[in-house]
Amino acid sequence: MTLLKDKLLLSKSDLTSYREISQNITDDKLNIFIREAQVINVRTFLGVQLYLRMLNDYDTATKTFTTQRYTDLWYGTDYTNTAAVEVRFNGLMSAAIYFAYSRFLQQQNTNVGRFGVGSLSQDDTESSTVASVNTNSRQAANMALAYQKDCEIFLKDQASVYPEFGTKTTTGQKLAFNFFKI
């Protein structure tokens, strides 16, 4: 039985176009976070039917979709909304990038070994504090949610083009964070 069958719609080069990531970080290290963002965030948001159709239309070799509606959904487009105003939609790819980046920030400074989870602190470098990492991760997740909200507006404005979205049985992900300590 093959696990993790979903095609990856993103790569390290896509993430680095939004945020700086060291060249020492390999594609393989980022792929798990990209896969989690796709499966947990993108699929949950779009619904299983629209997500699967979009995946099946994607060509990994050329990083393109064969159908224009999926290209518009993933990469963004200019369109006329329901109020007859020309607007720019940045694409669901932006949200997926920030969801993956948020996960990466949380995990990049740890390693799981035979004695449990450990920090990758080094003598010649200064590690970020846990609070700093959590803040940066939350900021990335909030950016992802903003792009996801933009996508929801686009999909509702284009309901005739994306009828699968209106019939989905899942809901978009919302994150909640404590703003104060007791």
Side-chain angles (χ1 to χ4, degrees):
M1 180 175 169
T2 304
L3 297 175
L4 306 173
K5 294 171 31 173
D6 290 358
K7 299 173 187 174
L8 291 179
L9 300 172
L10 299 171
S11 66
K12 179 183 174 183
S13 64
D14 295 319
L15 269 71
T16 57
S17 65
Y18 281 74
R19 289 289 182 246
E20 185 175 339
I21 297 177
S22 172
Q23 293 178 356
N24 297 331
I25 306 295
T26 64
D27 289 353
D28 290 338
K29 181 162 181 149
L30 286 172
N31 285 348
I32 188 64
F33 304 112
I34 292 169
R35 188 174 308 284
E36 286 177 355
Q38 279 184 210
V39 172
I40 295 169
N41 302 105
V42 174
R43 185 180 69 183
T44 301
F45 173 71
L46 290 178
V48 177
Q49 184 181 19
L50 181 55
Y51 175 74
L52 185 59
R53 288 182 179 175
M54 187 172 79
L55 273 184
N56 290 337
D57 193 66
Y58 188 70
D59 181 4
T60 54
T62 61
K63 293 184 82 170
T64 59
F65 295 94
T66 58
T67 307
Q68 185 62 40
R69 73 185 198 124
Y70 299 122
T71 301
D72 293 346
L73 175 60
W74 189 248
Y75 294 110
T77 187
D78 293 343
Y79 73 100
T80 304
N81 67 12
T82 54
V85 176
E86 184 78 17
V87 293
R88 172 157 294 153
F89 165 58
N90 291 306
L92 186 56
M93 178 178 155
S94 302
I97 285 172
Y98 278 105
F99 280 126
Y101 184 67
S102 174
R103 283 182 167 74
F104 169 71
L105 288 176
Q106 283 290 332
Q107 300 298 320
Q108 73 172 344
N109 212 24
T110 60
N111 188 23
V112 180
R114 63 182 175 196
F115 299 111
V117 179
S119 175
L120 298 179
S121 298
Q122 298 175 356
D123 295 334
D124 56 346
T125 61
E126 188 175 309
S127 295
S128 298
T129 64
V130 172
S132 173
V133 170
N134 288 339
T135 298
N136 290 337
S137 178
R138 276 195 306 272
Q139 288 174 344
N142 286 336
M143 289 294 293
L145 291 173
Y147 281 116
Q148 180 179 285
K149 183 65 178 169
D150 189 37
C151 183
E152 183 177 3
I153 292 167
F154 170 75
L155 288 167
K156 287 180 179 178
D157 284 346
Q158 302 289 312
S160 61
V161 179
Y162 303 96
E164 306 94 340
F165 184 73
T167 60
K168 72 185 180 94
T169 57
T170 57
T171 57
Q173 179 177 355
K174 297 186 183 203
L175 301 175
F177 299 100
N178 295 331
F179 290 101
F180 57 90
K181 289 183 179 179
I182 295 179

